Amino acid sequence: MKKIYTLFLFGFIVSNVFSQQVLKSPFVAAADKCGFSAEMEKNRVRGFNDAAYEAEMQRLINEFKQLNNFGPPTTIFSVPIIFHVIYDGNTESTIGTGANLTQAIVTAQIQQLNADFANLSGSGYGSATDLGVRFVAAKVDPMGNLLCEPGIVRINWRSQSGWQNPSGLSSMNAVMTHFDNVVKPQSYWDPYRYVNIWLADFSGSGLLGYATFPAMSTLPGLGNSETDQTAGVVVMSGSVGSLSNPGTASPYQYGRTLTHELGHFFGLRHITGDANCGNDYCTDTPPQNALTSGCPAPGTANGCTPSVPKMFENYMDYSNDICLNTFTLNQSESCQVVMLNSPRRKELPSSTTGVSPMLNRIFFKPGQTTVSETASGACPRYKEYPITVGVESTANGNATLSLSKTGSATEITDYTITPSSVTYTNGDATDKVFTLRIYDDAIIESAETIQLAFNISGTGVQQSIACGSANQYTITITDDDFNYSINNTMPTVTLLSENFGITTGSNQVPAGWVTSNAAGTSTTNKWVGNNTGAGTYGFSGNTLHISNGNSTAVTNGTAAMAYSSTATGTDARAVTPLLNAAGLKDISVSLKLVSNGEIDSGTFYDFGLVYYTLNGTNYSVLTVLNNDVYLQGITSSTTLNINLPAGTIGTSNLRLMFRWISDNSVANQPPFAIDDVVVTGKNVTVESQLNHAATENILSTSGSSNFYSSNDGQVIAKLSNPSVSPGCLTATITQAGNTNISLSSTAATYLRSEKVVNISPAIANTTASYNVTLYYTTAELAIWGANFANLKLMKVKNGINLGGLINSADAEVVNAVIDDQRATKGYASFSGDFTGGFSQFLLVYQTSVVPVAILNFDALSNNKNIVLNWSTSIENNNKGFFVERSIDGNQFEPISWINGKMNSNIISHYTYTDNYVEPDVIYYYRLRQKDIDNNEKLSDVRQAKIKG
Ligand SMILES: [Zn+2]
């Protein structure tokens, strides 16, 4: 016999596979999922008589039928509903955490109720009928104050007097007693004006929910234990949801628990009549021998005489939420009669608490509140999100709405919102949608926020000053950029390698591993390490496995790889030592394992799970095989490779957990066993390959952006502290290789690195200053030998051929800050500050200085003399120039001396006039440049003559 509690336990563990969830002590006493039987027993103690009650109901139903011509309801009752959201202020103060459910999921639940009650959920039965009740979120509290979150009142149980932690309530009775005696009396809202729903996480109890049952009068046999203080429904938070916005209590996550409990609240009984083929007082629901679990095949027999297909789709059965879709005509008639006659319920349709007192109030509708800046596509990459503003009912005039924007994120660079404003006209009830665009940059930064609020001009709409949360919308942008550690020598790092060959302690578990058996009582089905049974399942040597051996066998290392089918509620966990993945990406796990167990009718009962944790407290289950989390049916040693999600990048606090869960019936061997557990992460290596490139949107004037090749993730360059936001920049390896090459400029001669990195902006930029870092492998640097320490960074303007003579004005050389990691990590980085936009970058070693660079030199006749002009672009230690003349082009003699500038890096102009020339004689001139060390250098020769 299977236990319902086991079913929904799985659901809350494994839903939202990669979200972090706190594992709570999961095993609880067996219990019904609904407290109806207990509630009715309580009523009977108070004198309630089922037969008398149902006789009165039948009398009223007969009356009702005559009035309504035997059909579906002609009146649809609209009733205000209030959800008391009970949460733990210590751990769930953030809305959306645990039991502190969002407005969105509460709204979804109301929509699911209304679809189910309106017979709009796809029933295939001809008897399926609208129940005639709809639910509207309460808009005001009992004092008439506007509810900022319609239909919701939030209660931190820790701030209430005498309230217990609901998750510590360990049985159905504990929940019902605590709620009826403590929670409800302190928190109920007028039950003549609201349907009270209490939501709490009592997942430790095995109960999904319970409802109070309607009375027909105060006459003996017709009254019950329901009071003004207790009237209403209590359901487990995780069951709240809808088909499109499910909760967490799989397979009871689609909101049908509340549909079911409200069925009780409006007088419906379980389809079984809570007996073997008992009476539910509805002739159009077939009898049933037991409440259903799971989703049986259509046509499954009811187990009664006569044997007919059971109506497991009826909301008043126990089937999984997904297969429920039916209320019948008889059930509808009971509900209608209760709505017309039963205390409290009959007052609800005239309640006005579902009507807003501020019909033109606007508010932010629920939307995404945390977004990653990760986006895809061409640079600039971005992703867009809607920001929706609703109006309570309609605008009653004209108004223009714009959004005020504050927070740590920067408009334009981090995000944009369009349009800048929207308008309302009288009677306008439409949602207004702004588009938030989040840009993907490469800056390594902390999370940033955008805080939005309303600016309203005009009176057609208004905001409720009291409703901060409805008038404000905060979006957190999380960063996806990272400084990975660079290591060319060891691209892959092994964080854990464990074959369980060396074991210690009585359980023979390796040092640093922590095992536990959360059931607490079981001496069997725990993790032990030895080789007993290993060969049977294809392992060699020791494994870490679940064993049902007694303590002696465990101590002696003979506890077999096998599990017990009689041990109650096994939850055995094995946690790895701490794994330091700081600076690493692509964390993955490889292991050999077997894990069989039990699966019945698609539901897992015995199985293995693998989790990771980043803090030792919150564990997230991993998808391990075939897009599933369950490890079951693996009966011989199988190697699994699991890639951990992106959230594990860079963590220094990683652990894995292997978990075995089994119940107390049926054991299909073997249980969970693991071997050769290897956890690896990856360093980034330095990009050396030609044409590998990365394009990043640089939208900040501070911080650092890494260029990781889009080809293979290797690092090309880093840009820090740009003076402007240059936008999209592409870093490309434009030349590659390990040698060095001569490079000449008009200022000096150099050897340059063969590898050249080009950083080009999509939009031309000639003004930006910034710090750039280039990375070179040890192989790329080997050729420099002892000159390594004298390497400098050179920037050469785009378009300049590195093989020709480079004008010194087109190149900039700066000293590099060198981070030499060659010995241990196989690379070195070179950082330097540059100005004047982006270009080609390379390493250079200066081989010689050009002392004086003569740009041009000419000799021109000028009437009766010859004028010599020359200029220099650079002068180093230049004493000056002898001007030399010849009449045969061979024999030169000095005719003058012109002082040089000594040292200059700007263009200098010189002129000399030769007045002693005769007509029609060709004169040859040259310059003999002399530096302070008396080294000399001759210029080219020029010639000129004057006419006679
Ligand atoms: Zn029930």
Side-chain angles (χ1 to χ4, degrees), residues 229-250:
Q229 296 193 342
T230 62
V233 172
V234 176
V235 296
M236 193 179 80
S237 311
S239 75
V240 173
S242 71
L243 289 168
S244 59
N245 192 352
T248 56
S250 172

Side-chain angles (χ1 to χ4, degrees), residues 34 36 260-261 264 270 318:
C34 168
F36 180 71
H260 173 105
E261 296 302 337
H264 289 315
H270 287 147
Y318 269 18

Side-chain angles (χ1 to χ4, degrees), residues 854-918:
I854 297 175
L855 282 177
N856 48 48
F857 169 44
D858 13 83
L860 298 169
S861 62
N862 179 22
N863 199 6
K864 291 222 162 42
N865 49 38
I866 292 175
V867 179
L868 306 182
N869 287 301
W870 70 98
S871 59
T872 64
S873 61
I874 192 163
E875 297 182 20
N876 288 302
N877 302 327
N878 181 24
K879 196 185 274 181
F881 305 88
F882 284 110
V883 180
E884 296 184 343
R885 189 175 76 173
S886 167
I887 53 172
D888 60 4
N890 284 321
Q891 296 289 108
F892 284 87
E893 293 190 354
I895 56 172
S896 183
W897 168 259
I898 307 292
N899 284 330
K901 294 289 190 314
M902 194 60 75
N903 287 298
S904 169
N905 56 10
I906 60 170
I907 294 176
S908 304
H909 296 281
Y910 298 89
T911 187
Y912 172 76
T913 304
D914 185 359
N915 293 313
Y916 305 99
V917 290
E918 294 174 7

Side-chain angles (χ1 to χ4, degrees), residues 170-224:
S170 60
S171 69
M172 174 184 71
N173 283 340
V175 173
M176 294 177 71
T177 300
H178 182 58
F179 273 76
D180 286 348
N181 295 337
V182 179
V183 174
K184 288 177 170 184
Q186 288 188 38
S187 58
Y188 77 99
W189 285 13
D190 181 357
Y192 297 85
R193 296 194 288 154
Y194 303 90
V195 177
N196 282 280
I197 311 290
W198 287 270
L199 310 179
D201 173 19
F202 41 81
S203 54
S205 70
L207 181 70
L208 283 179
Y210 75 100
T212 57
F213 196 70
M216 273 302 124
S217 83
T218 55
L219 293 174
L222 303 182
N224 61 22

Side-chain angles (χ1 to χ4, degrees), residues 258-590:
L258 191 52
T259 302
H260 173 105
E261 296 302 337
L262 281 166
H264 289 315
F265 184 72
F266 293 114
L268 306 186
R269 295 167 182 266
H270 287 147
I271 193 163
T272 57
D274 287 300
N276 185 350
C277 305
N279 185 4
D280 69 345
Y281 299 93
C282 293
T283 57
D284 57 3
T285 58
Q288 215 169 277
N289 65 339
L291 289 159
T292 305
S293 67
C295 285
T300 299
N302 62 344
C304 303
T305 305
S307 175
V308 296
K310 66 176 180 177
M311 190 189 273
F312 63 87
E313 302 91 340
N314 196 285
Y315 296 111
M316 302 317 292
D317 201 347
Y318 269 18
S319 317
N320 289 351
D321 274 15
I322 191 66
C323 52
L324 297 174
N325 56 33
T326 302
F327 283 125
T328 65
L329 177 60
N330 285 171
Q331 289 174 324
S332 173
E333 290 164 349
S334 287
C335 179
Q336 293 289 299
V337 164
V338 164
M339 282 304 298
L340 290 168
N341 295 282
S342 183
R344 292 173 281 275
R345 292 154 188 78
K346 66 181 177 184
E347 322 287 343
L348 291 170
S350 57
S351 169
T352 58
T353 61
V355 179
S356 171
M358 296 176 70
L359 294 175
N360 65 342
R361 182 182 78 114
I362 57 171
F363 55 91
F364 284 108
K365 290 201 152 184
Q368 201 134 359
T369 54
T370 300
V371 300
S372 167
E373 66 173 31
T374 304
S376 56
C379 189
R381 295 185 285 270
Y382 57 82
K383 196 168 176 189
E384 294 185 333
Y385 303 87
I387 295 169
T388 306
V389 179
V391 59
E392 195 77 49
S393 178
T394 62
N396 60 9
N398 295 337
T400 299
L401 169 68
S402 61
L403 300 178
S404 79
K405 302 152 203 159
T406 56
S408 57
T410 308
E411 195 176 6
I412 307 299
T413 57
D414 290 317
Y415 72 94
T416 58
I417 294 177
T418 53
S420 58
S421 66
V422 295
T423 57
Y424 289 90
T425 54
N426 191 25
D428 194 346
T430 57
D431 287 345
K432 305 297 182 186
V433 181
F434 294 87
T435 299
L436 169 67
R437 177 179 290 185
I438 303 288
Y439 285 104
D440 185 3
D441 62 23
I443 297 277
I444 296 142
E445 58 195 340
S446 52
E448 298 174 302
T449 57
I450 307 168
Q451 286 172 336
L452 304 175
F454 296 131
N455 288 325
I456 300 170
S457 123
T459 58
V461 296
Q462 61 176 321
Q463 57 184 320
S464 172
I465 302 304
C467 295
S469 61
N471 293 330
Q472 289 175 9
Y473 189 59
T474 301
I475 301 134
T476 301
I477 309 171
T478 58
D479 191 33
D480 65 346
D481 301 302
F482 211 87
N483 264 329
Y484 297 116
S485 66
I486 301 169
N487 192 327
N488 247 50
T489 308
M490 190 166 46
T492 299
V493 179
T494 300
L495 300 169
L496 174 71
S497 180
E498 181 57 65
N499 65 8
F500 304 103
I502 300 169
T503 56
T504 59
S506 64
N507 287 355
Q508 304 190 52
V509 172
W513 285 63
V514 176
T515 58
S516 64
N517 185 339
T521 55
S522 178
T523 56
T524 59
N525 295 353
K526 55 168 53 171
W527 288 101
V528 301
N530 63 44
N531 63 10
T532 307
T536 309
Y537 298 109
F539 293 101
S540 62
N542 285 357
T543 67
L544 188 69
H545 58 257
I546 296 296
S547 173
N548 63 356
N550 61 30
S551 58
T552 304
V554 168
T555 303
N556 295 341
T558 57
M561 186 192 302
Y563 74 108
S564 162
S565 67
T566 55
T568 52
T570 297
D571 179 4
R573 308 172 185 194
V575 181
T576 66
L578 199 61
L579 309 175
N580 183 356
L584 302 180
K585 61 176 189 173
D586 301 342
I587 315 296
S588 68
V589 185
S590 146

Side-chain angles (χ1 to χ4, degrees), residues 661-892:
I661 288 174
S662 56
D663 72 357
N664 60 352
S665 70
V666 184
N668 296 315
Q669 309 293 346
F672 203 177
I674 59 175
D675 196 10
D676 296 340
V677 180
V678 177
V679 183
T680 60
K682 285 187 177 157
N683 287 304
V684 166
T685 53
V686 172
E687 184 62 83
S688 297
Q689 297 178 74
L690 187 65
N691 296 329
H692 280 204
T695 302
E696 295 295 349
N697 197 13
I698 311 296
L699 284 170
S700 174
T701 57
S702 64
S704 293
S705 303
N706 288 307
F707 290 85
Y708 296 117
S709 160
S710 59
N711 305 79
D712 51 23
Q714 294 180 301
V715 66
I716 300 171
K718 177 158 83 175
L719 192 82
S720 301
N721 303 318
S723 60
V724 296
S725 292
C728 293
L729 292 180
T730 299
T732 312
I733 308 288
T734 52
Q735 295 183 40
N738 296 343
T739 186
N740 54 21
I741 297 173
S742 294
L743 180 148
S744 299
S745 86
T746 53
T749 59
Y750 304 90
L751 286 170
R752 70 162 173 95
S753 59
E754 190 169 17
K755 185 166 94 176
V756 176
V757 176
N758 185 296
I759 300 180
S760 287
I763 299 167
N765 182 308
T766 57
T767 58
S769 61
Y770 50 86
N771 180 275
V772 74
T773 301
L774 302 189
Y775 301 89
Y776 285 80
T777 66
T778 299
E780 288 169 337
L781 295 167
I783 195 154
W784 297 105
N787 291 331
F788 169 87
N790 298 317
L791 287 169
K792 297 184 177 186
L793 278 167
M794 175 183 272
K795 183 182 86 166
V796 181
K797 277 185 186 167
N798 279 335
I800 302 294
N801 176 7
L802 298 177
L805 179 66
I806 297 170
N807 190 320
S808 64
D810 292 335
E812 184 180 0
V813 176
V814 302
N815 289 328
V817 174
I818 302 177
D819 180 19
D820 183 5
Q821 300 288 343
R822 289 176 299 170
T824 55
K825 295 178 179 173
Y827 81 99
S829 70
F830 301 81
S831 302
D833 294 320
F834 287 98
T835 58
F838 300 94
S839 298
Q840 312 174 75
F841 296 89
L842 50 148
L843 297 178
V844 290
Y845 168 71
Q846 184 175 297
T847 49
S848 72
V849 171
V850 174
V852 175
I854 297 175
L855 282 177
N856 48 48
F857 169 44
D858 13 83
L860 298 169
S861 62
N862 179 22
N863 199 6
K864 291 222 162 42
N865 49 38
I866 292 175
V867 179
L868 306 182
N869 287 301
W870 70 98
S871 59
T872 64
S873 61
I874 192 163
E875 297 182 20
N876 288 302
N877 302 327
N878 181 24
K879 196 185 274 181
F881 305 88
F882 284 110
V883 180
E884 296 184 343
R885 189 175 76 173
S886 167
I887 53 172
D888 60 4
N890 284 321
Q891 296 289 108
F892 284 87

